[in-house]
Amino acid sequence: MRIANYCVITVLLLLIGNSLALAEEQNMLHPMKKAAGRLWYDTKYILTSPLRMDGKDVKKLVLFSGITYGLMNSVDTRVNSELTEPEYEEVEEIVDFLRADVNNYKVHLALGTLYLYGLTTADSKLKKTTLLLTEASLFNQLLTGGFKQIFGRVRPHKDRDEDTDIDADDFYPFSGNDSFPSGHTSSAFTLATVISNQYPSTLVKVSSYTIASLVGFERLQTNVHNLSDVFAGAVLGIWVGNTICLLDKSWERGDIQVSAKGVK
């Protein structure tokens, strides 16, 4: 297994090196600097978005909170009990290839490679899609990881620990527990949303969101998440994907510009 990991790292590093060499050869370093400025602006925009909430945003937040609270108090336990039955085990095998640990170094190397490829490819549509997918994935990981630590919800498959008095499904902020929201689900819906925005055909949308839903279903079937975790992950992923795509349209219209003096 270690040899396989080393091979993966070697291949990814070679791809990154090749992309950088190609970028320098094609005089792409300036666009890369502009991309870095754009990434910095988008980061600040997303992290400060709660400060710009209006009445509609508050209503949406209240609705989301109400649904999540209702799922936690009346649905989570029953759904987990039902979906862990043997007849649903085939779903885990179907979407097993989609699972990936967001803290795995190979995932970050792959995202970096994808980002560099997006900067250097000649296909404008593919370039835009790869850049948006990479940026949205990074933001999703940042937000999901932060929420996991803030809420500290215990995974549903953990039995009661008499020594530490920790109950499964309870919340212990900054305890290291990471059930809420579901990271795999938020990642899947982030990617599905970006792809659907870039290729807005019915087939693409149905396929993308079906795969994302299967990922969420698998998290329930394996009893590592509650329905409320999956619901919150899906909403977060859709929000991140749509926000990145809306920001991209603002960049294209010229509403936001990167210059030597910064972003305006």
Side-chain angles (χ1 to χ4, degrees), residues 206-222:
V206 171
S207 301
S208 299
Y209 284 112
T210 296
I211 293 175
S213 298
L214 283 173
V215 173
F217 187 89
E218 185 271 342
R219 306 311 285 163
L220 294 172
Q221 194 277 322
T222 52

Side-chain angles (χ1 to χ4, degrees), residues 1-21:
M1 181 62 71
R2 288 185 177 180
I3 295 177
N5 289 338
Y6 291 146
C7 290
V8 171
I9 294 174
T10 301
V11 171
L12 290 175
L13 289 176
L14 287 174
L15 289 173
I16 292 174
N18 182 67
S19 296
L20 287 173

Side-chain angles (χ1 to χ4, degrees), residues 95-117:
V95 296
D96 186 61
F97 71 97
L98 296 170
R99 300 176 61 188
D101 182 1
V102 295
N103 294 318
N104 194 307
Y105 59 88
K106 288 180 287 188
V107 174
H108 293 276
L109 281 173
L111 285 175
T113 304
L114 179 65
Y115 192 70
L116 288 172
Y117 177 76

Side-chain angles (χ1 to χ4, degrees), residues 61-101:
L61 181 60
V62 171
L63 177 62
F64 165 76
S65 301
I67 294 175
T68 304
Y69 182 80
L71 293 176
M72 289 179 180
N73 285 273
S74 60
V75 181
D76 278 350
T77 303
R78 285 183 291 174
V79 169
N80 281 4
S81 177
E82 174 67 25
L83 294 185
T84 50
E85 295 297 323
E87 59 262 30
Y88 294 105
E89 290 181 355
E90 293 182 0
V91 178
E92 179 181 1
E93 299 177 3
I94 294 175
V95 296
D96 186 61
F97 71 97
L98 296 170
R99 300 176 61 188
D101 182 1

